[in-house]
Amino acid sequence: MMSTTTVPARAAVPRAALPDALAVGALVLAPNLAQGLFARRPAVVRAAAAAGVDGAAVRQLSAMASRSTRPVRVGGTVLLLDPRDADRVLEGPVDVYAGDPDPKRRGMAHFQPGAVTISRGEAWRERRRFTDAVLASAPALAPRVAECVAEEIARLPARTGWRPWNRAFQRIARRIVLGDEAAGDDALSVTLERMMAEANRLPRRPSRRLPAFRASVEGHLERAEPGSLAAAIADTPAGPDTEPCAQVTHWLFALGDTLAANALRALAVLGQRPADAERALAEADHAVACLQETMRLWPTTPMLSRETRAEVVWDDGTVLPHGTRILVVNTFFHRDPAHVPDADAFVPQRWLEGTPAGVNHFSRGPQRCAGADLAVLTGREALRAALMRTLTIRTPRLPAEPPMPYALDHFRIEAVLA
């Protein structure tokens, strides 16, 4: 008997019902744009946290997914509601799912044109090869990273909040990436902050500050200081399209700003959980687990986006035309009670068994954050260095039992390090 295979009928992504589309715009898209896609605006972050926007967004997307996990179209964007769809997109080939939809490209090109994160084709492959090769040196730098972190955390004032913590991490980033001679170059980080704040407006041209910023970075790179990533850059072959300076820019803000927010939130949690704090100080793996669990609960990258470079047909018949913008909402998938056990609880132990399904704060697949291992190493050392001091969290007060809040405003965290 001849066997037959049924091919699913091709199906366009349906439009979300009007009430759902309006809710997604009001609770997901608009708040993230208002808070700043590249540099968070403290006043807007505070207002969004007070209004409970993130919790309302999770409830809205959970309600939509309970009716159907098929993707839906919201305006010009396809919104994913099933973690399996998120996996297939994030783990898909970069030549099919590009990581630089127009808003991301317009913003990042303002302060880091030529970065691998907004590259395509052969330029992406060359820049990713270079980035992976340089960052492969991170494990060998572990003693140096620990030394830099310990020195900078020790310099923090007894009463510490976001600003001194952020400045300490920016110094750490400059020392790890560019070398100790760059430690005092605060102007470099301030300029980068300003360019990223400008990028929130999604300009269509590079910042006027960019030439001077790049000249400063290149001056530090020329020293190729031993024990820094600059030395690894000097030893790594680069092609005409590599643009090392653009890759360095990304590492500077990823360590100095993004990781700083993640680590400060983790410190706020550990400062109110003595058992976890004690274990994190004694066991490096538990410190890493606490950092990762913090990033799951409050991802500093609340959304990931991709854009199809050709028509894509999934195995269930779903058709994504060329140029389709796809949205993965981490704040939803990380807290989705249908797929994440104890989704609203702080459970670092889950990370000791591997990366939980559906968690994407470092993305995944070929476009996974190339510096994830360096970030985790640096964050781990920062937490343990801070825990060596007597830690008291003044604000905020976090619950001893779940649920943990959906938002944790890092701008308002205050700690005492005696």
Side-chain angles (χ1 to χ4, degrees), residues 68-136:
S68 172
T69 57
R70 286 198 63 196
V72 293
R73 188 174 292 276
V74 178
T77 299
V78 168
L79 173 68
L80 303 185
L81 296 170
D82 190 325
R84 294 169 297 184
D85 290 338
D87 288 349
R88 83 165 95 202
V89 168
L90 296 178
E91 294 175 0
V94 67
D95 287 334
V96 175
Y97 299 105
D100 64 338
D102 183 63
K104 178 179 177 180
R105 185 168 57 250
R106 284 169 56 188
M108 285 194 165
H110 186 69
F111 61 92
Q112 55 171 12
V116 65
T117 47
I118 51 171
S119 301
R120 295 188 178 189
E122 289 305 316
W124 181 87
R125 277 181 274 278
E126 165 57 23
R127 291 163 185 170
R128 183 68 192 217
R129 175 204 64 78
F130 176 84
T131 297
D132 286 343
V134 172
L135 293 175

Side-chain angles (χ1 to χ4, degrees), residues 30-60:
N32 275 284
L33 184 63
Q35 289 176 77
L37 296 180
F38 303 100
R40 288 311 224 191
R41 299 176 173 114
V44 185
V45 170
R46 185 178 306 121
V53 168
D54 286 340
V58 171
R59 290 188 291 273
Q60 170 64 32

Side-chain angles (χ1 to χ4, degrees), residues 197-221:
E198 295 166 354
N200 284 340
R201 299 193 295 271
L202 304 181
R204 296 185 179 276
R205 60 181 65 86
S207 171
R208 61 180 177 80
R209 308 175 197 271
L210 189 60
F213 174 82
R214 282 192 152 183
S216 181
V217 170
E218 288 166 357
H220 290 302
L221 291 178

Side-chain angles (χ1 to χ4, degrees), residues 37-299:
L37 296 180
F38 303 100
R40 288 311 224 191
R41 299 176 173 114
V44 185
V45 170
R46 185 178 306 121
V53 168
D54 286 340
V58 171
R59 290 188 291 273
Q60 170 64 32
L61 297 185
S62 293
M64 292 170 64
S66 71
R67 299 193 295 269
S68 172
T69 57
R70 286 198 63 196
V72 293
R73 188 174 292 276
V74 178
T77 299
V78 168
L79 173 68
L80 303 185
L81 296 170
D82 190 325
R84 294 169 297 184
D85 290 338
D87 288 349
R88 83 165 95 202
V89 168
L90 296 178
E91 294 175 0
V94 67
D95 287 334
V96 175
Y97 299 105
D100 64 338
D102 183 63
K104 178 179 177 180
R105 185 168 57 250
R106 284 169 56 188
M108 285 194 165
H110 186 69
F111 61 92
Q112 55 171 12
V116 65
T117 47
I118 51 171
S119 301
R120 295 188 178 189
E122 289 305 316
W124 181 87
R125 277 181 274 278
E126 165 57 23
R127 291 163 185 170
R128 183 68 192 217
R129 175 204 64 78
F130 176 84
T131 297
D132 286 343
V134 172
L135 293 175
S137 67
L141 295 178
R144 177 66 181 142
V145 170
E147 178 186 19
C148 290
V149 169
E151 290 174 357
E152 297 302 334
I153 296 300
R155 296 179 55 196
L156 283 168
R159 185 165 179 171
T160 290
W162 169 246
R163 182 49 59 192
W165 183 264
N166 186 205
R167 291 300 184 221
F169 266 74
Q170 289 174 343
R171 282 178 60 89
I172 290 167
R174 294 194 301 270
R175 293 178 68 182
I176 292 172
V177 176
L178 303 173
D180 285 346
E181 285 293 321
D185 193 354
D186 294 327
L188 187 72
S189 296
V190 170
T191 300
L192 180 54
E193 283 181 350
R194 290 172 177 168
M195 291 192 296
M196 292 177 69
E198 295 166 354
N200 284 340
R201 299 193 295 271
L202 304 181
R204 296 185 179 276
R205 60 181 65 86
S207 171
R208 61 180 177 80
R209 308 175 197 271
L210 189 60
F213 174 82
R214 282 192 152 183
S216 181
V217 170
E218 288 166 357
H220 290 302
L221 291 178
E222 286 175 3
R223 289 195 316 276
E225 188 176 308
S228 70
L229 290 179
I233 288 172
D235 292 337
T236 303
D241 294 328
T242 304
E243 296 202 39
C245 184
Q247 317 322 320
V248 164
T249 301
H250 196 87
W251 306 338
L252 288 172
F253 79 75
L255 290 175
D257 301 299
T258 307
L259 177 61
N262 290 324
L264 186 57
R265 287 179 176 135
L267 193 68
V269 175
L270 291 176
Q272 299 172 67
R273 291 175 176 262
D276 279 312
E278 183 177 351
R279 187 176 175 189
L281 189 55
E283 302 173 22
D285 286 349
H286 193 71
V288 169
C290 289
L291 179 64
Q292 294 274 29
E293 181 70 346
T294 299
M295 289 189 278
R296 180 192 70 83
L297 286 167
W298 303 288

